[in-house]
Every structure is written in C-alpha cells, then in structure tokens.
Amino acid sequence: MTQSLPGQRPAQEQALTGRGRPPVVVIGAGPYGLSVAAHLRAAGVPVRIFGEVMGSWRHAMATGMFLKSTPDATDLSAPEPGGRLADFRRVHGEPELTELTPIPCDVFVRYGQWFQKRYVGEVEPARVTAVERAASGAGFLVRTDDGQETAAAGVVVATGLNGLAHVPAELRHLALEGPGPGAVVSHTSHHTDLSGYAGRRVAVVGGGQSALESAALLHEAGADTQVLVRERTVLWGMPPDLARPWTQRLAKPASPLGTGWILAAVCAAPGGVRWLPAPARLLLFRRALGPSGGWWLRDRVTGVVPVHTSRRVTAAVVRGPEVHLEVAGPRGRRETLAVDHVLAATGYRLDLAALPYLSPTVRRAVACVPGSRAPALRGTFESSVPGLYFTGSLAAPMFGPMMRFVAGTEFAAVRIARHLAAT
C-alpha cells in the first residue's frame, strides 16, 4: 500500500490527476527515474514508470558492497521535505549515518523502495522494448515485453548504466556468447554474489572503487585474487575531517563529490557546465573524478590483496580451463598470468547504440555531444527529439560529473518535471 506524508495525497491518487493527455513514460526505476516520477506526479502530470525498483542496485552490485558517497550526497529528490536518507532512517528507528559511516548498498536499496512507496506509487515491472515516434508526429508509442502499447506525451530515459558496461576487446573475445558469471570473463556489473569464486584464481582488471572492492570481497570469500592496474599508483580517498578549520574549508570547499574548487563549482552550477565547449565538458567528464578507492576500503586491500600497478593486458587466450593473460609491465617487461577467471572492472561507455529500445529512426534523430555517443541536451534535459529526455549518467557529458551520482537527482528531476508540466 502506498504511504503518504501528512497532508499529502497518496501517490497513486496523484497519478490519476492530470490534464487528460497521454502520460509521460519514465524508463528506469532507479534513483533518477524515481526522483523524476515523484516530481511529475506532485505536479499533477500523468506518468507511468517502467522497470524494477532499484534494479541495478539489487542485481549489478555484489553482496557486501558499500556506496562510495557520503550520506549527504545520497538523497533522492522528493517534491517536498521528508524524503531524505536521514528521514528514512529516522522513520525506521535506525541510527543516523555520518560521513564516517560507509553506507551498505542494501540500506540504499531499502531507502529507494521506501521512497517509491511514499512518493511514486505504482512502478510497472515490464521491460520497455520499443520507443517510436507516434504516427501523428506528436508524442511516442512505447511497447513493453508484456504486450502493452502506450501512447506517451514524453519519454524520460533514466536507465542509469544498465547495458553500458565496457569490457575491453582484449578480454571480450574470450566469451563467444558474451561476458558473464558463467564465462571465463565477466564485468563487475554482472555479479550479485562473488562467493562462488572461492578457491579459484581471479584476476581483477582495473584500479577504481569497483575493482578494489570486488578484489576485497573475492579475497574474503576465499578466492586467490590479484589486481592489475594500468596506473602507476592506486589512489585512495582521505577520511573526512569533520572539524576542518576555516582556512582549509576556504582553500578546498566541500561538495557532494569531494573537496576542491572545481568539484564545488560543477556541483553548485551543473547548468553552467553545459555552456562550456564540448571538448572542455568531455575533459571534465573524464578527468574530474579519476579512479580511486574509498578511504574505508584501504585496510581491506593494501597489504592484503596483491595489487600490481603499471600493468596492462595486451592479449588473452583460453587454454583448457585456464585464461592466459599477456601483461605489459613497467620498463617494457612482459609476463604471462594464468587464472581461472578475469573480472573486468573497466567501467562503462556512454553510447546511445546500447539502448536497443530506441527505434532506429528515433536514435538517428538524437544529436550527440561532439566527440562522444552521448545525447546533446537542452537545459531542460530534452534531446533534439522533442519530448525525449535523458538523465543520469547519459547526461553527464552535458551537465558534468554530478550526473554520474545520486547527488544529481535534485537538479535533474526539478528541471525535467518543470518543463514537462509546462508543455
């Protein structure tokens, strides 16, 4: 049953209010999809949201993982006060989380489910299979895998990183039917449980949070684990200082993404990032937050799991039950590493071609950011196709790195809902 705040109409009742027009369809029920839907329904815009609530967080994160962000940077965007992570904890009688408290992924999933019941109402689990322009030229026709066809006044793509996992060509060819837990190579997003690798030799390729945390979990589950990092060093975050003097706060102001003037600026004004030249935006997108591990993870990796820096996989071949990796090391040294499984913690690639539900006609009509395959967006998050919006990570090359994190939900949801309510 949908819960409501005092004085708030139930979310499902709000879903029935509108202007007699077709609904807006939101694709994805993660932090961005739920936030957009909550604001649309609060504005009286009819909306249907398709997807599994917090699906990626439930199925693309291994058991035992924590969020890298702090509690203040982990709030979904509610249309009125009372929907923060701290509110969820208080309602359930759970202790408040601080900057010194890593947030378990399962806590964040429960928070998202609570938010959905409180602000969004019904989420339809059907998978969207096609988004086409309506024959009239106005709006869209949305099809789902349960046979439904829905006329939509607008479509908001909020699928996060789903389908965008990147496995380098040097590794991808090892799995003829595609990388996955049952193949000799997989991506970190393919796993909910790493305990099945106990007793096996696993090479983790990558140097960011997902690589380092996966390596810790594999080691703790009994796997013979080592990490191959391209960079010369592994970067670690610093424990938050809750009592920084004003001189340090001035020199390095705080932001949802960390300390420093650049991060503070892009978080305070994502709309300003959009006015930068495309090459500058892409450089900011790629380098503002490089690979690093959370400060709380360091003791579980350093001196515990072998981490080899300045290592690059140049070739890989399957020989019997083993995978043999050709690895280029420092000073031109080359070595061969034999393992049972390769776990690629190699990030994601933003590519509209990875959204198979967009019809070829719609996809071709979406203008991209020069130098990338991500959509070019207006200040309202609308693409070059009227009525088609993109948010979350796919919007990061336009609005900056905050769109890669939950902290960007407020900026995005308010603008998308305001524009759709006015059209």
Side-chain angles (χ1 to χ4, degrees):
M1 182 176 179
T2 303
Q3 302 175 15
S4 302
L5 290 173
Q8 179 190 30
R9 286 178 298 164
Q12 292 196 14
E13 178 186 334
Q14 293 179 27
L16 298 176
T17 65
R19 305 172 188 172
R21 65 176 183 175
V24 171
V25 166
V26 177
I27 306 175
Y32 279 87
L34 293 175
S35 296
V36 170
H39 281 269
L40 286 171
R41 286 184 166 164
V45 177
V47 57
R48 295 180 70 179
I49 176 171
F50 293 97
E52 183 178 358
V53 178
M54 303 296 285
S56 293
W57 294 86
R58 295 166 64 183
H59 304 304
M61 298 278 188
T63 301
M65 280 193 165
F66 292 80
L67 274 67
K68 190 177 177 182
S69 54
T70 62
D72 286 343
T74 315
D75 296 324
L76 278 64
S77 179
E80 59 183 53
R84 302 176 66 243
L85 175 62
D87 299 313
F88 161 74
R89 300 281 290 184
R90 185 172 58 254
V91 166
H92 289 84
E94 299 174 6
E96 183 178 358
L97 298 169
T98 73
E99 290 186 65
L100 297 175
T101 312
I103 305 170
C105 282
D106 68 290
V107 168
F108 186 59
V109 168
R110 289 195 296 113
Y111 165 52
Q113 293 169 328
W114 170 83
F115 183 97
Q116 173 250 321
K117 293 175 183 176
R118 192 175 183 100
Y119 293 104
V120 178
E122 181 183 7
V123 172
E124 302 178 57
R127 181 174 58 87
V128 172
T129 57
V131 175
E132 303 174 355
R133 292 305 302 265
S136 64
F140 301 87
L141 181 66
V142 177
R143 295 188 177 92
T144 54
D145 62 357
D146 60 358
Q148 294 186 68
E149 289 190 356
T150 302
V155 172
V156 180
V157 176
T159 48
L161 295 169
N162 187 34
L164 302 176
H166 171 65
V167 177
E170 294 86 356
L171 299 174
R172 191 169 56 248
H173 74 91
L174 297 174
L176 296 179
E177 297 184 2
V184 294
V185 60
S186 62
H187 189 271
T188 50
S189 64
H190 295 151
H191 296 276
T192 57
D193 183 5
L194 294 172
S195 64
Y197 293 97
R200 302 178 68 189
R201 298 167 298 170
V202 181
V204 181
V205 179
Q209 175 71 14
S210 64
L212 298 169
E213 192 170 11
S214 294
L217 290 170
L218 283 164
H219 171 78
E220 291 160 4
D224 179 2
T225 310
Q226 51 189 310
V227 186
L228 304 177
V229 183
R230 297 186 64 161
E231 303 300 326
R232 289 183 292 180
T233 59
V234 172
L235 300 179
W236 296 97
M238 297 294 293
D241 184 353
L242 304 183
R244 287 197 306 155
W246 70 268
T247 52
Q248 291 185 15
R249 294 198 302 270
L250 182 62
K252 290 187 175 182
S255 79
L257 303 187
T259 59
W261 279 103
I262 292 179
L263 291 180
V266 299
C267 290
V273 175
R274 181 175 162 271
W275 295 104
L276 295 174
R281 280 189 275 110
L282 290 177
L283 184 66
L284 179 66
F285 167 71
R286 291 165 181 157
R287 296 191 179 181
L289 290 167
S292 66
W295 61 269
W296 45 266
L297 178 63
R298 189 169 189 168
D299 289 345
R300 295 168 56 193
V301 176
T302 303
V304 178
V305 180
V307 177
H308 309 290
T309 56
S310 300
R311 299 299 200 280
R312 183 169 58 88
V313 176
T314 59
V317 62
V318 176
R319 293 177 181 168
E322 298 181 332
V323 180
H324 288 240
L325 302 176
E326 298 295 326
V327 181
R331 296 180 294 277
R333 187 171 71 247
R334 294 185 176 274
E335 56 189 342
T336 300
L337 177 64
V339 297
D340 301 308
H341 189 82
V342 182
L343 181 62
T346 45
Y348 300 82
R349 292 285 174 86
L350 305 185
D351 189 350
L352 286 175
L355 307 180
Y357 50 82
L358 294 181
S359 73
T361 301
V362 170
R363 191 181 301 117
R364 284 193 298 268
V366 177
C368 290
V369 176
S372 83
R373 295 179 180 177
L377 304 173
R378 301 182 176 89
T380 59
F381 288 78
E382 188 178 32
S383 70
S384 56
V385 176
L388 179 62
Y389 301 74
F390 293 86
T391 188
S393 292
L394 283 167
M398 289 298 303
F399 294 96
M402 194 162 73
M403 295 300 112
R404 293 163 50 192
F405 299 89
V406 180
T409 55
E410 176 81 8
F411 180 82
V414 168
R415 281 154 185 78
I416 293 173
R418 183 183 298 157
H419 190 251
L420 280 164
T423 55

